[in-house]
Amino acid sequence: MSTRPVALITGSSRGIGIGIAHCLSATHDLVINGVRDESEVSDVLAELSATGASVAYAQGDISSAEDRDAILAATKERFGRLDVLVNNAGVAPKKRHDLLDADQEELDWMIGVNCTGPHQLTQAAARWMIEERAEDSDRPLSIIFVTSISAESATPNRGGYCMAKAASSMSARLFAVRLAEHSIPVYEVRPGIIATDMTAPVKDKYDAFIADGNLLDARWGTPEDIGKATAALVRGDLPYATGAILTIDGGLGTPRL
């Protein structure tokens, strides 16, 4: 069993997930998750291990019930504990479609990965955490859902993504209410425009959007920005805040005249 707290971060072999992993590696051992073979992420695992954290890789698609079970089983086998779950894995539409032309197959896929998967993984992880809480009433435990400003901002040419993130936002709120009696805080981190593989295909669009003054902090967000916010929640730097939405968007959502 690990002597350090353990964080399971889904979708953490790149993008926002690896930014979160780096920010937690100083204090937590890590379970990195992704859909790629371990051989394809060996450099990422080595990079994180160099920080001093003990790092395990649990391959799996969180939209699959079988894979979710395997991810938690691998965590239990390697570390014997789970202190933090970060629901970060997500997918964007393979191609942006007019809302009137979008097909159900892609909608089902996005909802499966962005909403149903995190919800069901949290259900199973929460049961484990409740057992841990019964054994240690003072142990810091937490669950974080990484959603998107698209949970609130409507973009008709990627409606399925917006719907899935909005549903995941409600999932975070539901678990915050349900797990309060067990002193397990649940938070939502809501990123804005972040430089990742997911946003790379629309870089020119967002470059122009930022240049037009739509953000108060006129730059792309980074995975480390989200990682630092997540680490603050995990450390308990924002106490008395379970159920809160922490929006990291460079001021994009600030109402202005």
Side-chain angles (χ1 to χ4, degrees), residues 209-226:
F209 184 79
I210 294 168
D212 284 343
N214 289 292
L215 276 64
L216 300 182
D217 191 348
R219 66 172 177 86
W220 281 80
T222 67
E224 289 71 26
D225 292 328
I226 308 306

Side-chain angles (χ1 to χ4, degrees), residues 1-244:
M1 179 173 176
S2 176
T3 58
R4 297 212 308 175
V6 173
L8 164 58
I9 310 163
T10 65
S12 49
S13 65
R14 56 186 168 192
I16 288 175
I18 195 171
I20 294 171
H22 272 293
C23 290
L24 292 181
S25 63
T27 54
H28 288 68
D29 289 336
L30 304 171
V31 179
I32 302 303
N33 158 256
V35 295
R36 292 180 288 171
D37 290 336
E38 185 169 351
S39 61
E40 297 180 61
V41 298
S42 57
D43 55 338
V44 170
L45 302 179
E47 183 181 321
L48 290 169
S49 295
T51 67
S54 182
V55 181
Y57 184 65
Q59 183 182 3
D61 178 350
I62 62 164
S63 68
S64 160
E66 182 179 354
D67 284 8
R68 291 192 299 270
D69 289 344
I71 291 165
L72 289 177
T75 302
K76 186 168 290 189
E77 180 179 357
R78 174 66 182 273
F79 295 114
R81 63 188 290 172
L82 179 63
D83 302 83
V84 179
L85 170 63
V86 181
N87 289 303
N88 168 75
V91 290
K94 296 172 184 176
K95 182 179 179 181
R96 296 193 175 206
H97 302 279
D98 185 284
L99 190 62
L100 302 180
D101 298 324
D103 63 83
Q104 183 176 333
E105 182 178 356
E106 186 163 84
L107 174 62
D108 290 344
W109 171 64
M110 282 189 287
I111 288 178
V113 176
N114 295 338
C115 174
T116 306
H119 184 87
Q120 295 301 109
L121 181 63
T122 299
Q123 182 189 68
R127 289 172 178 156
W128 184 6
M129 287 182 170
I130 289 169
E131 294 174 1
E132 293 181 313
R133 170 62 73 233
E135 297 173 0
D136 185 349
S137 60
D138 297 323
R139 184 164 157 189
L141 303 170
S142 58
I143 297 172
I144 295 170
F145 285 74
V146 180
T147 63
S148 167
I149 55 170
S150 294
E152 186 173 355
S153 299
T155 308
N157 66 359
R158 54 184 186 133
Y161 181 79
C162 297
M163 292 165 62
K165 289 298 185 179
S168 191
S169 176
M170 177 53 73
S171 181
R173 192 174 307 174
L174 289 166
F175 277 111
V177 173
R178 178 62 183 84
L179 298 178
E181 66 180 276
H182 301 287
S183 299
I184 301 173
V186 182
Y187 310 99
E188 177 186 348
V189 174
R190 189 175 283 183
I193 301 170
I194 310 299
T196 65
D197 294 345
M198 186 181 291
T199 53
V202 287
K203 183 179 184 301
D204 290 345
K205 171 189 172 181
Y206 284 128
D207 280 344
F209 184 79
I210 294 168
D212 284 343
N214 289 292
L215 276 64
L216 300 182
D217 191 348
R219 66 172 177 86
W220 281 80
T222 67
E224 289 71 26
D225 292 328
I226 308 306
K228 289 176 182 178
T230 302
L233 292 170
V234 169
R235 286 193 305 265
D237 291 351
L238 280 74
Y240 201 53
T242 187

